[in-house]
Amino acid sequence: MAAIDLSALDSALDLLPDQYRGPGGVAGVVHEGRVIARRAWGHADMAARLPMTATRRMPICSISKQMTCALLLDLFGTPEALDPLLPDLLPNFEGPLPTVAQLCHNQSGLRDYWALTVLHGAAPEGRFTEQDGRTLLAQARSGHFAPGAQFSYCNGNFRLLAELIQRATGRDFGALLAERILRPAGMPSAQLAADMRDRVDQVIGYEGNDDVGFLPAESAITWFGDSGVVASLDDMLAWEAHIDASRADPAGLYSRISAPVTFADSTPAPYGYGLRRYSHAGHALTGHGGGVRGFCSFRLHVAAARLSVVVIFNHEASAMRAAEWLMTAALSASPAPAAEPGQGWDGLWYDHDNDLFLRTRDVPDGVRLHYAVSPATLRPVSATRAEGPGGLVLDRAGDTLRMTRRAENLTVSVSRLHPLLRAEAGDIVGRYWSDEIGTGLVIEARDGAASIGFDGMLGVGPMERMYPLARDLWVVTSRRAMDAAPPGEWTLRIRRTEDGAVAGLTLGCWLARAIPYHGPMAD
């Protein structure tokens, strides 16, 4: 059993509020079933001068997913028991449906419904009801890959699980979660609080940072299964102690949800049952993070060391990095290899398989890759190869870049693009429509600037800027959305006929890829 460096852990905890700046937060560590560290700092409400405490509940966001999966297994034994009920929730889906197990493992191929709210005209602070969630999920006609082939994070997978549990039992999901998971784990105050308008324990989440200041984050979404649980630090430390207490029981729920899973081709999958399996500083972990506007959380468990770490902020600094930092201090883990600057990696590339652009940049600590939801930094290991966390590898050869993403079971070859500083948008202005997701968009251009606006079942959304990347390729920036983190950058590719006329466009981001639109249409 690994020894714990209490002095180093205590020093790291002392530095946490300064290293991850914001209004307030909590952090705690459990070792061998006992709480060995517990901190709460800052304020739950800055205007009211309300202190943060270890008993105030905050949204744990996507950490809820593992609890949803644990409830499913506790009630039904296997995900397959619910497969017959899934077609009613996806009535418009064409082709083979995903299995319920593939929902649990984020292998369904379904596009993320929170990303799609942007295309449906949602205002960031707009209302999103329980029925809106069901309606939006039911519209799916296809996925962006075959079920079981790859990994793609999709909140809708877990909302579907919650709906299936309710339909199979005829009972309220929140009541079942409390009865079967939260109370047996010794979490007395944790509960489902699906409506984000409710200020549980008067805790306010904040947007912003130390440079621009912090403002209360407004959210009016309703969700459960994928998120929705609120818990105090004391509740979460009880969850970690419960995990340790059942560690030797192969039938224990955490043992079952952390067991190995595979893709359809039998390749090991690093994500399953709402848990990520990965390594950090030489230690094998299971864990998960979460974020909604104004809050960020992360929990991790090192089974071999019987160590767990929980961090929750009422702001949007990285709770994942903070939790990993505390784990590294507690276990006296080896520091990461010294960073090396990237050289010659700058480039703009196009992934034809997924209709997404990617950027690579030389940075002082390696190669920065912009492709998925968040940028990743890779370490150069040769003049033509760079490696990053989770089996992420870039191999370059002239104007071709081969990207391997082991965590997603994805390998693609991408081609170099010739960037444009300026492009005329005059012939692409107008209105477009997507039969695939039942939404419209409009492109406007004036005096060298192009903008785009989306509309659908949630209303008429704000205009967003779009910028040229290469010939007939644009990037649309989406920095604020109902969920956190927002989808970020969307790739917009113009489709043309043989004679050069605009035939339509394809729009997508990492969470919701390759959505076809036809147009432009006459007013």
Side-chain angles (χ1 to χ4, degrees):
M1 191 64 61
I4 301 300
D5 189 334
L6 291 174
S7 176
L9 175 59
D10 208 45
S11 295
L13 284 162
D14 287 341
L15 291 172
L16 203 62
D18 188 59
Q19 295 293 319
Y20 298 89
R21 297 181 177 186
V26 295
V29 181
V30 171
H31 181 236
E32 296 182 353
R34 297 184 303 107
V35 177
I36 62 170
R38 177 175 170 272
R39 299 285 182 91
W41 64 91
H43 291 85
D45 180 340
M46 292 196 296
R49 300 187 178 184
L50 190 68
M52 182 66 74
T53 71
T55 59
R56 292 194 190 278
R57 291 167 295 178
M58 288 187 278
I60 62 170
C61 313
S62 290
I63 295 175
S64 306
K65 291 176 169 66
Q66 62 199 260
M67 297 170 181
T68 298
C69 292
L71 178 62
L72 187 155
L73 294 180
D74 184 56
L75 288 167
F76 305 104
T78 65
E80 289 75 19
L82 296 179
D83 281 342
L85 301 180
L86 186 57
D88 286 344
L89 294 175
L90 297 173
N92 298 307
F93 201 83
E94 301 167 359
L97 281 171
T99 65
V100 173
Q102 287 162 348
L103 299 180
C104 294
H105 307 333
N106 268 333
Q107 296 179 23
S108 70
L110 296 174
R111 297 179 178 94
D112 181 67
Y113 77 141
W114 291 112
L116 293 179
T117 60
V118 174
L119 305 187
H120 273 279
E125 293 84 12
R127 186 82 180 103
F128 188 89
T129 67
E130 182 177 338
Q131 182 57 50
D132 288 335
R134 281 192 289 267
T135 300
L136 186 49
L137 289 165
Q139 291 179 346
R141 297 178 59 180
S142 68
H144 47 204
F145 56 76
Q150 299 172 28
F151 166 92
S152 181
Y153 198 85
C154 176
N155 289 283
N157 289 337
F158 299 88
R159 172 62 189 273
L160 288 168
L161 294 179
E163 295 284 353
L164 289 168
I165 289 169
Q166 290 195 142
R167 292 191 177 207
T169 62
R171 294 190 57 194
D172 176 72
F173 177 78
L176 281 169
L177 193 67
E179 174 188 312
R180 304 292 292 253
I181 303 298
L182 303 178
R183 299 302 171 260
M187 305 170 71
S189 68
Q191 67 179 60
L192 182 70
D195 191 338
M196 288 296 298
R197 293 177 301 177
D198 297 334
R199 296 291 190 189
V200 179
D201 291 343
Q202 301 175 282
V203 180
I204 292 177
Y206 290 87
E207 292 182 295
N209 53 51
D210 239 16
D211 293 329
V212 301
F214 293 92
L215 296 173
E218 298 295 330
S219 181
I221 61 179
T222 299
W223 53 2
F224 58 95
D226 49 344
S227 187
V229 173
V230 294
S232 68
L233 175 64
D234 286 350
D235 286 323
M236 291 305 300
L237 296 179
W239 175 250
E240 303 304 330
H242 178 69
I243 289 168
D244 183 79
S246 61
R247 67 190 182 281
D249 182 5
L253 286 176
Y254 199 81
S255 296
R256 296 176 66 190
I257 65 174
S258 59
V261 297
T262 64
F263 292 102
D265 64 3
S266 298
T267 301
Y271 189 101
Y273 290 117
L275 282 174
R276 182 182 169 204
R277 299 103 163 103
Y278 72 110
S279 295
H280 181 74
H283 293 273
L285 316 179
T286 53
H288 209 288
V292 69
R293 291 176 57 206
F295 294 92
C296 190
S297 60
F298 199 83
R299 62 155 298 269
L300 61 82
H301 178 62
V302 188
R306 293 178 61 189
L307 181 82
S308 292
V309 181
V310 176
V311 176
I312 310 174
F313 298 140
N314 65 336
H315 54 94
E316 297 179 0
S318 176
M320 175 180 175
R321 289 197 297 271
E324 290 175 345
W325 186 45
L326 295 178
M327 182 217 80
T328 301
L331 296 178
S332 301
S334 301
E340 297 182 19
Q343 294 184 357
W345 285 90
D346 287 354
L348 180 67
W349 315 80
Y350 188 66
D351 172 4
H352 295 269
D353 292 343
N354 294 290
D355 256 317
L356 296 172
F357 80 91
L358 61 144
R359 291 192 189 95
T360 51
R361 290 195 299 120
D362 292 331
V363 292
D365 55 347
V367 179
R368 185 66 54 85
L369 170 66
H370 295 262
Y371 177 70
V373 175
S374 302
T377 301
L378 295 84
R379 183 171 61 90
V381 296
S382 74
T384 60
R385 186 179 178 91
E387 298 178 353
L392 175 58
V393 179
L394 296 177
D395 293 290
R396 59 177 178 171
D399 288 338
T400 301
L401 189 71
R402 187 172 185 265
M403 177 172 59
T404 301
R405 304 180 68 89
R406 185 170 55 82
E408 285 91 9
N409 204 30
L410 174 67
T411 299
V412 294
S413 291
V414 301
S415 54
R416 188 182 294 275
L417 294 170
H418 300 288
L420 294 178
L421 293 178
R422 181 177 179 278
E424 289 293 340
D427 69 339
I428 65 172
V429 299
R431 182 164 176 78
Y432 298 75
W433 179 260
S434 173
D435 294 322
E436 178 71 26
I437 61 172
T439 66
L441 65 83
V442 62
I443 295 176
E444 299 178 355
R446 286 188 299 277
D447 293 338
S451 302
I452 189 168
F454 305 106
D455 57 86
M457 60 171 276
L458 299 175
V460 179
M463 296 299 289
E464 306 275 9
R465 282 301 315 275
M466 52 187 287
Y467 304 94
L469 291 171
R471 176 173 170 77
D472 283 337
L473 199 69
W474 299 72
V475 58
V476 176
T477 58
S478 177
R479 300 302 184 191
R480 298 185 77 248
M482 287 187 142
D483 189 21
E489 296 180 323
W490 299 77
T491 302
L492 188 151
R493 177 175 61 86
I494 302 299
R495 304 193 307 270
R496 295 185 183 271
T497 63
E498 289 185 0
D499 62 1
V502 176
L505 60 86
T506 300
L507 180 69
C509 66
W510 176 245
L511 297 174
R513 304 168 212 166
I515 301 166
Y517 286 75
H518 59 83
M521 296 173 284
D523 292 335

Short mmCIF file of all heavy atoms in Angstrom, two decimals, residues 64 192 340 405-406 515:
data_model
loop_
_atom_site.label_atom_id
_atom_site.label_comp_id
_atom_site.label_asym_id
_atom_site.label_seq_id
_atom_site.Cartn_x
_atom_site.Cartn_y
_atom_site.Cartn_z
N SER A 64 -22.59 12.77 -11.78
CA SER A 64 -23.88 12.09 -11.64
C SER A 64 -23.98 10.86 -12.54
O SER A 64 -24.72 9.91 -12.22
CB SER A 64 -25.02 13.05 -12.00
OG SER A 64 -24.97 14.25 -11.27
N LEU A 192 -31.21 14.63 -6.05
CA LEU A 192 -31.38 15.13 -7.40
C LEU A 192 -32.05 16.48 -7.35
O LEU A 192 -33.10 16.65 -6.72
CB LEU A 192 -32.24 14.15 -8.23
CG LEU A 192 -32.46 14.56 -9.69
CD1 LEU A 192 -31.16 14.43 -10.47
CD2 LEU A 192 -33.55 13.71 -10.34
N GLU A 340 9.30 20.07 -23.75
CA GLU A 340 10.16 20.46 -24.87
C GLU A 340 9.33 21.28 -25.85
O GLU A 340 8.18 20.94 -26.13
CB GLU A 340 10.72 19.23 -25.58
CG GLU A 340 11.61 18.37 -24.72
CD GLU A 340 12.16 17.18 -25.50
OE1 GLU A 340 12.15 17.25 -26.74
OE2 GLU A 340 12.59 16.20 -24.87
N ARG A 405 -6.14 8.51 -31.85
CA ARG A 405 -6.80 8.86 -30.59
C ARG A 405 -7.29 7.55 -29.97
O ARG A 405 -8.42 7.13 -30.22
CB ARG A 405 -7.94 9.84 -30.84
CG ARG A 405 -7.52 11.11 -31.56
CD ARG A 405 -8.69 12.05 -31.79
NE ARG A 405 -9.20 12.60 -30.56
CZ ARG A 405 -8.77 13.74 -29.99
NH1 ARG A 405 -7.81 14.45 -30.59
NH2 ARG A 405 -9.30 14.17 -28.87
N ARG A 406 -6.41 6.92 -29.19
CA ARG A 406 -6.74 5.59 -28.66
C ARG A 406 -7.98 5.65 -27.77
O ARG A 406 -8.78 4.71 -27.74
CB ARG A 406 -5.55 5.04 -27.88
CG ARG A 406 -5.74 3.62 -27.39
CD ARG A 406 -4.45 3.03 -26.84
NE ARG A 406 -3.86 3.86 -25.79
CZ ARG A 406 -4.24 3.84 -24.50
NH1 ARG A 406 -5.22 3.02 -24.12
NH2 ARG A 406 -3.65 4.61 -23.60
N ILE A 515 -23.34 17.63 -39.84
CA ILE A 515 -24.78 17.83 -39.99
C ILE A 515 -25.03 18.54 -41.32
O ILE A 515 -24.55 19.66 -41.53
CB ILE A 515 -25.34 18.65 -38.83
CG1 ILE A 515 -25.04 17.94 -37.50
CG2 ILE A 515 -26.83 18.89 -38.99
CD1 ILE A 515 -25.25 18.82 -36.28
#
